[in-house]
Amino acid sequence: MSILLFVMLGIFIFMMFRRNKKTQQQQATLQSQFAPGVEVMTSFGLFGRIVEIDDEENKVTLELSPGNLATVHRQAVTKIVEPAAVPAADAPAVPDDASSLTAQETGSSTTPLETPDETLKRLNDEGKKDN
């Protein structure tokens, strides 16, 4: 019984080291793709473009928006962001003015308009149904 316990412990330790090695390889592959101009995301959710990489101090300077720079640790950059290409045919049509957004639809309305007195009467009648 104790032999089985040691075998299970050995398998567990082997799997743990294997997982750590895979994570380190993925991180090294990602770090090798860093270059100025690459769009990235940090581990804390900031998106930006790499401006400068300082290998000696493990720092990366990101441009978050035009003129706004942030310096983060190199390991804080966790993902390279690929820009999403939006086809022109799938882009929604934007009207030139707001008149099309406020225009009344032609045709019959599904809910008839009621006066304030009718609304008050309807709401009072609904309250009586609950009792």
Side-chain angles (χ1 to χ4, degrees):
M1 187 66 163
S2 62
I3 294 173
L4 182 62
L5 181 65
F6 286 119
V7 169
M8 293 296 284
L9 182 64
I11 291 173
F12 177 72
I13 291 172
F14 172 75
M15 296 299 279
M16 190 170 53
F17 281 122
R18 185 171 177 240
R19 181 175 176 218
N20 285 342
K21 186 176 180 180
K22 277 187 175 182
T23 305
Q24 287 175 350
Q25 286 176 346
Q26 288 174 347
Q27 189 71 18
T29 303
L30 179 72
Q31 298 271 333
S32 69
Q33 295 175 349
F34 288 169
V38 176
E39 297 284 331
V40 295
M41 183 182 83
T42 63
S43 60
F44 43 92
L46 279 179
F47 288 89
R49 186 174 49 84
I50 295 177
V51 176
E52 181 184 359
I53 300 171
D54 184 4
D55 289 326
E56 292 178 8
E57 295 190 25
N58 286 329
K59 292 182 180 179
V60 176
T61 303
L62 300 177
E63 183 177 34
L64 306 176
S65 62
N68 292 325
L69 300 176
T71 303
V72 296
H73 194 275
R74 188 175 180 136
Q75 289 179 344
V77 180
T78 57
K79 184 177 180 183
I80 294 178
V81 179
E82 300 294 330
V86 178
D90 293 341
V94 178
D96 290 339
D97 60 356
S99 63
S100 64
L101 300 175
T102 59
Q104 294 289 333
E105 292 183 20
T106 58
S108 63
S109 175
T110 56
T111 58
L113 297 176
E114 56 184 25
T115 64
D117 292 333
E118 291 172 335
T119 303
L120 186 59
K121 183 178 185 287
R122 180 178 51 84
L123 291 174
N124 284 336
D125 290 342
E126 287 178 2
K128 291 177 184 174
K129 291 178 185 176
D130 292 338
N131 291 334

